[in-house]
Amino acid sequence: MYINQSNPIYFFVPYYIPFQFNSEQPQVIPKVELHADSHTSQVKPSNEEIHTNASGIIRGKGQLWTQKEINNLISYYKKYKGNWKQIIKHLKGRNISQCSQKYRKLQDQEKRTKRKWSPSEDQILREAYKEFGRQWIKISQKLPGRTSKQVRDRYVNQIDPTITHDEWSAEEDKIILEEYNKGGAKWAIIAKMLRNRSENQVKNRFYYTIQKKYSGEKHPYLKVQE
């Protein structure tokens, strides 16, 4: 700026400040894609984990039967004539309950049925029993889709009018335990010593109640073979 002393006049001279524009493009940060198979996002379960149910039976992977296991099951069943205590020794990771259930499913699968018994079937069974008695094969011929074993089990354990489904008494438990200790698992003989009880009722009472109550032992069919 210049100033005249006699007659002050102010002159303004513009002053340009240079400004540099950045012509370069802004830096682009590349995106990083996250893959599902990355180490941080993928969690693999341990192969050593074994899941069991409340009864101690192995579930999940151990629940599936391989063809080799099935072949061994059939082979050892024939060899030991259905003696599950011997059969189970050759089937590691299985218990008697699993093996017996699997074997039953393999037998006569076309004839077996899982449907519940209907009132009409029970009535036919009662009438057929009056006609044929304990000839279960003849009775099963009047009930399509039912095997002779199913017919027998249904009548003897469920609808036989002579059996009772009342609560068990302490005296009955005492007789079952004493007779078992004397002669073993002879359920039909023990049932005759009780009043209106079937052999299946006696067997279930012993394994699921008496043995656990007095000995603290688990049902042998639920023990997993190590």
Side-chain angles (χ1 to χ4, degrees):
M1 181 176 64
Y2 174 78
I3 301 175
N4 189 346
Q5 298 294 333
S6 58
N7 189 9
I9 300 174
Y10 298 93
F11 297 93
F12 296 93
V13 179
Y15 178 76
Y16 296 97
I17 300 175
F19 183 81
Q20 182 177 2
F21 292 95
N22 188 2
S23 60
E24 296 180 0
Q25 296 294 329
Q27 185 177 2
V28 179
I29 300 175
K31 295 182 180 179
V32 179
E33 295 183 359
L34 298 178
H35 298 281
D37 58 351
S38 63
H39 179 72
T40 57
S41 62
Q42 192 174 29
V43 179
K44 295 182 179 180
S46 172
N47 292 330
E48 297 180 356
E49 292 181 358
I50 299 177
H51 302 284
T52 60
N53 62 13
S55 301
I57 298 176
I58 299 175
R59 302 185 65 184
K61 185 177 180 180
Q63 195 176 15
L64 301 176
W65 283 79
T66 63
Q67 188 60 47
K68 183 178 179 181
E69 283 183 306
I70 294 174
N71 294 338
N72 288 338
L73 175 61
I74 297 173
S75 175
Y76 288 118
Y77 184 90
K78 294 179 180 179
K79 180 178 180 180
Y80 295 110
K81 299 179 180 180
N83 187 336
W84 292 113
K85 291 184 178 180
Q86 295 296 327
I87 297 169
I88 195 64
K89 294 179 180 179
H90 302 277
L91 294 164
K92 304 300 181 182
R94 298 291 180 182
N95 60 36
I96 295 177
S97 180
Q98 289 173 313
C99 294
S100 62
Q101 290 179 28
K102 184 62 178 179
Y103 188 82
R104 286 197 298 269
K105 290 180 181 179
L106 294 173
Q107 302 303 304
D108 301 328
Q109 291 184 354
E110 294 182 357
K111 295 182 180 179
R112 293 181 64 87
T113 175
K114 295 182 179 180
R115 73 177 187 274
K116 294 182 178 180
W117 284 79
S118 66
S120 60
E121 284 182 308
D122 286 344
Q123 183 61 32
I124 294 173
L125 178 54
R126 292 187 186 96
E127 294 174 357
Y129 183 84
K130 292 178 181 179
E131 181 180 356
F132 299 110
R134 299 178 71 86
Q135 299 182 56
W136 308 115
I137 294 178
K138 288 186 177 181
I139 295 175
S140 65
Q141 293 173 356
K142 292 183 173 293
L143 292 162
R146 300 294 186 183
T147 65
S148 58
K149 183 180 184 301
Q150 288 176 311
V151 169
R152 177 200 176 274
D153 290 346
R154 179 64 178 176
Y155 186 86
V156 171
N157 298 318
Q158 299 295 331
I159 66 174
D160 185 348
T162 63
I163 64 174
T164 179
H165 297 279
D166 296 338
E167 292 185 4
W168 290 82
S169 66
E171 182 63 24
E172 287 178 309
D173 287 348
K174 182 181 178 182
I175 294 173
I176 294 173
L177 184 59
E178 289 178 351
E179 294 301 322
Y180 178 84
N181 291 333
K182 289 179 184 179
K186 298 179 180 180
W187 309 121
I189 296 176
I190 298 174
K192 293 178 181 179
M193 299 180 182
L194 303 174
R195 184 178 179 182
N196 302 330
R197 297 289 189 185
S198 70
E199 57 184 273
N200 191 63
Q201 285 177 310
V202 174
K203 179 183 69 174
N204 290 339
R205 180 66 180 178
F206 177 80
Y207 282 129
Y208 288 102
T209 303
I210 297 175
Q211 194 174 46
K212 183 178 180 181
K213 181 178 179 180
Y214 294 98
S215 304
E217 296 182 12
K218 184 186 291 187
H219 193 306
Y221 275 35
L222 300 179
K223 292 180 181 179
V224 176
Q225 182 71 18
E226 300 294 340

